[in-house]
Each structure stands twice: as structure tokens, then as C-alpha cells.
Amino acid sequence: MAELRRELGLLEAVVYGVGLILGAGIYAIIGEATGVTGGSIVVSFLLAALVASLTGLSYAELASLFPKAEGDYVYVREAFARDVVSDATALGRLAIGVISSAAVALAFSGYLTAFVDVPAVPVAVVLVVATTVVNFWGIDLSTRINVLFTAIEVAGLLIIVWVAGGSWGNADVLQASNGAVGVVEAAFLIFFAYLGFGSVVNLAEETEDASVAIPRAIVLSIGITTVLYVLVGLSAVALVDPQVLGQSASPLAEVARVGWGPLGATVLAVIALFSTTNTVLILQISTSRLLYGVSKAEYDVFPAVFSRVHAARRTPHYAVATVGLLTLPFVLLGDIGLVAGLANLVLLVVFVLVNAALLKLRYARPGLERGFRAPLNVGRLSLTAVAGLLSCLGLILFYVLTW
């Protein structure tokens, strides 16, 4: 049987992670989150970053132990040896991928309305179809597109920081329009922005020296994007009223308009189109690789047809097509806040299982060779994994009680 082609190094893996995280977060959800909490959006970014970093360290260690495309599924399977738990993890990760793709595709439509008056849902459907085609064509083409588009989206965020740099003193980062509940609710929404680091592991079978490169890519991706997130969040509330941002379909374009004028709004709207396109593409890639991985004969979670690789393109074509089709029903919901909330809830459940898997493996199989070890340990106990598990459970409880 044909295998996936290893085309990615550390740089490409980091770019994939940064592209996933930035596109999903800043360009797609910052408006909704700022409308919830006001100037304290900066605090919400830091809170979300802390929770993501704790779980990210667990992913990094597990990825060094099991550098496979099926990612979370194999971590939980190796730790608990129970099909019901590992199969639920695979289903959860598949759901996260398709729901998140839908949310970011809807964000793309919001920015496109800055240029043409078009209905959001049909535009999002066209984007999903187009990225599915690119995904099928090959990882080499996808990588070139990702590197270019990620450079463009980072440039857009640096523009926001530049135009607002002199106004940071105007930001009231302690202004919480809905109190502590609003800060946590915004952090919950922003957590959607960090889903990218969990998807980096699905590229393991297309990455050289994956047991070392993937853990490093996870840590670097979270670090780079957190710095950019905080600076952009600070810039946004320094220039624009948070409630205005909350009502905008293209929030960063609104920030650029205030700081730079109509030209700035146009430039940022164009960049946001590149960013959201890039994120949908990478989500489609990572999710299809997960479906490919867990459909292998050794796991048999899904029908084996999804593990087949196209002889010429060397991509899992049946998995690619299926992920694209599964994304479309969530696009039809048409509400980015609702869609992102659904993705977050499933994501947090998976993160609980991943942190628990690391804790279990530390004791059950301590002799496994690790290319990376999470810091802050007491004997075999990982304090970061414990904190990651508890913080994810806390956000799940918050979602259940308030949404």
C-alpha cells in the first residue's frame, strides 16, 4: 500500500501550527470574544494561553512517544487500552476538525462582505470545496500555500500592532463589561484559537524526525502566537470600542480603518481572506490525516477505505473527500459563535483525555523513549498535565453552567 510522503521539516511544522492558530483565533473570533468581556480581552487571551500551554506540553511529550498521524487516538489507546475511550477520542477529534473548519469558513465570508455583498453560507461552502481539492492534490502544494499565506497573515497582525502602538495607553485592560464571568467566557471562546497545536500531531507521518520536530513545533507555535495574540488584542481595544468590535463581521479590518483609514481596512480585509483560507486548508489536511490514521487495519475504528492512499497524489483521497463533506452541514448553521462553542466543548473533552493519558503512561510505561519531556515534575507525576486536566474540566463545567 502507498504511504504518505515525508515532506515537512521543523520550520514547515511550526508554520502549520502558527497558521492554524492565528487564522482560527485573531481573524475569526476576536470580535465575538471582545464583545463579551470588553478591554479585559487581553486577560482572556492570557488565560486561554495558559490552559493551552499546559495541555500543549502533554501533547508534545506524547507526540515524541508516538509520532503517528492518528495523534490523540493512539495516545489514549496506548494509555487506557479501551476501545470505547480511544474510539470516542477519534470521533471527538474528527468532530473538532470539521466543526472548526466550518467556523473559520464562515469568518472568511464575513471579511469578504467588505468587498462584495454576498450570502455567507454559499461562500463558505465554496471555500470548503476549494480547500478540499488542494488537500487532495498533495502535501507539497499545500505546504507552499501554507507558508505563503501564513507569512501574509502574520504581516497583517504586525500592521495592527504598528498602527495602534502609540495608543496602547488608551486600553483599559481591567475593564470587564460582564465581570469575571465575561473574562472566562471570552477565554472559552478564545480557546478555539489554540486548537491548532493539537492538530500539528496529525502531520507526524509527513514530517522528518517527527519524534523531535513535532514536540518542538507545538511549543514554538503556542509561544509565537500567544505573543501576537496579546499584542493584537491590546491594539484592538486601544483603538476601537469593544462593543463595536463585538458587532463587526470583520473586526480587525475595523481596527485598521480606525488606525490607518479606509486603505488600512481594505488591506486587513484582504489579509484576513488569506488567513482564514489558510486555516480551513490546514484543518482539512490535519483532520483527513487523522481519519486516515485511525482507519488503518491495526485500529479499524472507521472503514479501511479511508486509509487508502492515492497512487499518484500520495494523499488519503477518500479521507480528504469525507472530511470536506462532513464540514458542510456545520457551515449551514451560519453562526460562528455557536459553531466555535461546539468545537471548544468537544476539544476540551479530548484535552482532558490527552492529559489523563500522559499521567497514566508516566506510571504504566515509564521506560518508553521520549524525545521530549514536559517540565515541572514530582517523581513521575507531571504537574503541568494535572493542571491541564483540571483547567480543561473547569472550562467544561463553565460551559455547561453558563451556555
Side-chain angles (χ1 to χ4, degrees):
M1 180 182 291
E3 296 182 348
L4 301 179
R5 182 180 290 127
R6 292 188 182 272
E7 297 275 358
L8 310 178
L10 175 60
L11 175 61
E12 290 82 4
V14 171
V15 172
Y16 262 95
V18 170
L20 269 167
I21 297 172
L22 291 183
I26 287 292
Y27 289 95
I29 206 67
I30 187 173
E32 188 111 11
T34 304
V36 166
T37 194
S40 57
I41 187 68
V42 176
V43 179
S44 297
F45 269 123
L46 291 172
L47 179 59
L50 174 61
V51 176
S53 298
L54 293 170
T55 300
L57 291 170
S58 294
Y59 265 98
E61 181 168 334
L62 290 166
S64 76
L65 290 171
F66 309 105
K68 295 179 177 292
E70 45 272 30
D72 326 63
Y73 168 80
V74 77
Y75 309 155
V76 174
R77 177 187 171 96
E78 293 286 342
F80 301 109
R82 293 186 179 179
D83 289 345
V84 65
V85 179
S86 54
D87 290 359
T89 302
L91 284 169
R93 176 53 75 176
L94 179 62
I96 293 164
V98 298
I99 296 171
S100 301
S101 292
V104 182
L106 290 168
F108 172 92
S109 302
Y111 280 99
L112 188 62
T113 58
F115 303 100
V116 289
D117 185 14
V118 292
V121 171
V123 169
V125 168
V126 171
L127 177 61
V128 170
V129 172
T131 53
T132 299
V133 171
V134 174
N135 186 9
F136 161 74
W137 195 254
I139 193 67
D140 50 349
L141 174 61
S142 301
T143 299
R144 289 196 295 270
I145 292 174
N146 175 54
V147 170
L148 174 61
F149 283 21
T150 298
I152 292 172
E153 67 190 71
V154 170
L157 299 183
L158 293 177
I159 288 172
I160 292 292
V161 174
W162 170 63
V163 300
S167 304
W168 287 348
N170 299 332
D172 183 2
V173 298
L174 299 180
Q175 182 264 323
S177 52
N178 290 305
V181 172
V183 173
V184 177
E185 183 177 344
F188 177 85
L189 284 172
I190 292 166
F191 197 68
F192 172 74
Y194 284 97
L195 60 89
F197 75 81
S199 298
V200 173
V201 300
N202 302 124
L203 302 176
E205 293 183 35
E206 291 163 290
T207 304
E208 299 172 355
D209 196 14
S211 63
V212 175
I214 293 297
R216 290 178 179 175
I218 292 171
V219 173
L220 289 170
S221 296
I222 294 175
I224 292 168
T225 53
T226 295
V227 172
L228 283 171
Y229 275 170
V230 171
L231 292 178
V232 172
L234 179 64
S235 300
V237 295
L239 287 180
V240 181
D241 182 271
Q243 295 308 310
V244 173
L245 287 174
Q247 297 168 7
S248 175
S250 50
L252 288 190
E254 178 64 21
V255 175
R257 184 191 66 78
V258 173
W260 189 8
L263 176 60
T266 300
V267 170
L268 258 294
V270 170
I271 290 174
L273 293 177
F274 282 100
S275 175
T276 47
T277 298
N278 190 36
T279 301
V280 174
L281 172 61
I282 309 170
L283 282 168
Q284 292 284 305
I285 292 170
S286 61
T287 308
S288 62
R289 273 37 172 198
L290 169 73
L291 179 56
Y292 153 82
V294 299
S295 301
K296 294 173 183 176
E298 61 188 290
Y299 305 122
D300 197 29
V301 179
F302 297 112
V305 65
F306 297 125
S307 67
R308 295 180 185 174
V309 175
H310 193 277
R313 305 307 331 155
R314 301 284 291 278
T315 54
H317 49 305
Y318 290 112
V320 166
T322 300
V323 167
L325 289 172
L326 290 175
T327 303
L328 297 180
F330 294 98
V331 170
L332 299 179
L333 291 176
D335 183 336
I336 187 173
L338 172 62
V339 175
L342 289 172
N344 273 349
L345 183 59
V346 181
L347 181 71
L348 286 164
V349 172
V350 171
F351 283 179
V352 167
L353 292 172
V354 168
N355 283 302
L358 178 60
L359 292 170
K360 176 72 180 298
L361 287 167
R362 280 285 188 91
Y363 288 92
R365 300 169 68 180
L368 289 173
E369 184 177 349
R370 289 164 167 80
F372 175 88
R373 186 178 179 88
L376 302 179
N377 303 288
V378 177
R380 295 179 184 175
L381 180 67
S382 169
L383 297 181
T384 56
V386 171
L389 188 152
L390 293 177
S391 59
C392 289
L393 283 175
L395 285 179
I396 291 171
L397 182 62
F398 176 84
Y399 180 91
V400 172
L401 293 178
T402 62
W403 283 63

